[in-house]
Short mmCIF file of all heavy atoms in Angstrom, two decimals:
data_model
loop_
_atom_site.label_atom_id
_atom_site.label_comp_id
_atom_site.label_asym_id
_atom_site.label_seq_id
_atom_site.Cartn_x
_atom_site.Cartn_y
_atom_site.Cartn_z
N GLN J 807 128.22 -57.44 15.16
CA GLN J 807 128.38 -57.01 13.76
C GLN J 807 127.06 -57.14 13.03
O GLN J 807 126.18 -57.89 13.44
CB GLN J 807 129.47 -57.81 13.05
CG GLN J 807 129.27 -59.30 13.04
CD GLN J 807 130.41 -60.00 12.32
OE1 GLN J 807 130.72 -59.74 11.18
NE2 GLN J 807 131.10 -60.87 13.06
N ALA J 808 126.92 -56.39 11.96
CA ALA J 808 125.68 -56.41 11.16
C ALA J 808 125.95 -56.00 9.73
O ALA J 808 126.88 -55.24 9.44
CB ALA J 808 124.64 -55.50 11.81
N MET J 809 125.06 -56.46 8.85
CA MET J 809 125.05 -56.09 7.45
C MET J 809 123.77 -55.30 7.19
O MET J 809 122.68 -55.68 7.67
CB MET J 809 125.07 -57.34 6.56
CG MET J 809 124.89 -57.06 5.07
SD MET J 809 124.81 -58.57 4.08
CE MET J 809 123.18 -59.17 4.50
N LEU J 810 123.86 -54.22 6.41
CA LEU J 810 122.74 -53.45 5.99
C LEU J 810 122.79 -53.33 4.44
O LEU J 810 123.84 -52.99 3.90
CB LEU J 810 122.73 -52.07 6.63
CG LEU J 810 121.58 -51.11 6.28
CD1 LEU J 810 120.23 -51.71 6.58
CD2 LEU J 810 121.76 -49.77 6.98
N VAL J 811 121.68 -53.63 3.79
CA VAL J 811 121.59 -53.59 2.33
C VAL J 811 120.51 -52.60 1.92
O VAL J 811 119.40 -52.63 2.49
CB VAL J 811 121.27 -54.97 1.75
CG1 VAL J 811 121.21 -54.92 0.22
CG2 VAL J 811 122.26 -56.00 2.23
N PHE J 812 120.81 -51.74 0.99
CA PHE J 812 119.82 -50.81 0.43
C PHE J 812 119.59 -51.09 -1.04
O PHE J 812 120.55 -51.28 -1.81
CB PHE J 812 120.34 -49.37 0.49
CG PHE J 812 120.28 -48.68 1.83
CD1 PHE J 812 120.93 -47.47 2.02
CD2 PHE J 812 119.57 -49.21 2.90
CE1 PHE J 812 120.87 -46.80 3.24
CE2 PHE J 812 119.51 -48.57 4.12
CZ PHE J 812 120.17 -47.36 4.30
N CYS J 813 118.31 -51.14 -1.45
CA CYS J 813 117.93 -50.83 -2.82
C CYS J 813 117.09 -49.52 -2.67
O CYS J 813 115.96 -49.56 -2.20
CB CYS J 813 117.07 -51.92 -3.44
SG CYS J 813 118.00 -53.44 -3.76
N ALA J 814 117.69 -48.42 -3.03
CA ALA J 814 117.19 -47.07 -2.71
C ALA J 814 116.73 -46.44 -4.02
O ALA J 814 117.52 -46.30 -4.96
CB ALA J 814 118.24 -46.24 -2.02
N ARG J 815 115.47 -46.00 -4.09
CA ARG J 815 114.87 -45.55 -5.36
C ARG J 815 114.47 -44.07 -5.30
O ARG J 815 113.72 -43.66 -4.40
CB ARG J 815 113.68 -46.40 -5.72
CG ARG J 815 113.01 -46.02 -7.04
CD ARG J 815 111.84 -46.96 -7.32
NE ARG J 815 110.77 -46.79 -6.35
CZ ARG J 815 109.77 -47.64 -6.19
NH1 ARG J 815 109.72 -48.75 -6.90
NH2 ARG J 815 108.81 -47.40 -5.31
N ARG J 816 114.92 -43.31 -6.26
CA ARG J 816 114.43 -41.96 -6.46
C ARG J 816 114.51 -41.68 -7.98
O ARG J 816 115.40 -42.19 -8.65
CB ARG J 816 115.29 -40.92 -5.71
CG ARG J 816 114.79 -39.51 -5.81
CD ARG J 816 115.56 -38.55 -4.93
NE ARG J 816 115.00 -37.22 -4.96
CZ ARG J 816 115.44 -36.17 -4.26
NH1 ARG J 816 116.49 -36.33 -3.46
NH2 ARG J 816 114.87 -35.00 -4.38
N TYR J 817 113.55 -40.88 -8.50
CA TYR J 817 113.41 -40.67 -9.93
C TYR J 817 113.28 -41.99 -10.68
O TYR J 817 113.54 -42.08 -11.87
CB TYR J 817 114.62 -39.91 -10.50
CG TYR J 817 115.00 -38.67 -9.78
CD1 TYR J 817 116.29 -38.53 -9.22
CD2 TYR J 817 114.11 -37.62 -9.57
CE1 TYR J 817 116.67 -37.37 -8.54
CE2 TYR J 817 114.47 -36.47 -8.89
CZ TYR J 817 115.75 -36.36 -8.37
OH TYR J 817 116.13 -35.22 -7.70
N GLY J 818 112.82 -43.02 -9.98
CA GLY J 818 112.70 -44.36 -10.57
C GLY J 818 113.98 -45.12 -10.66
O GLY J 818 113.99 -46.30 -11.03
N LEU J 819 115.12 -44.52 -10.28
CA LEU J 819 116.45 -45.14 -10.41
C LEU J 819 116.86 -45.76 -9.09
O LEU J 819 116.69 -45.18 -8.02
CB LEU J 819 117.46 -44.08 -10.83
CG LEU J 819 117.23 -43.50 -12.22
CD1 LEU J 819 118.04 -42.23 -12.39
CD2 LEU J 819 117.59 -44.54 -13.29
N TYR J 820 117.48 -46.95 -9.17
CA TYR J 820 117.86 -47.71 -7.99
C TYR J 820 119.36 -47.59 -7.71
O TYR J 820 120.20 -47.91 -8.58
CB TYR J 820 117.54 -49.19 -8.18
CG TYR J 820 116.11 -49.52 -7.95
CD1 TYR J 820 115.16 -49.37 -8.97
CD2 TYR J 820 115.67 -50.02 -6.73
CE1 TYR J 820 113.83 -49.71 -8.74
CE2 TYR J 820 114.35 -50.35 -6.50
CZ TYR J 820 113.43 -50.18 -7.55
OH TYR J 820 112.12 -50.51 -7.31
N ALA J 821 119.68 -47.13 -6.49
CA ALA J 821 121.06 -47.20 -5.98
C ALA J 821 121.14 -48.40 -5.05
O ALA J 821 120.40 -48.48 -4.06
CB ALA J 821 121.40 -45.92 -5.23
#
Side-chain angles (χ1 to χ4, degrees):
Q807 58 181 302
M809 174 185 73
L810 180 58
V811 182
F812 283 169
C813 292
R815 181 179 66 195
R816 185 174 183 179
Y817 310 123
L819 295 165
Y820 280 84

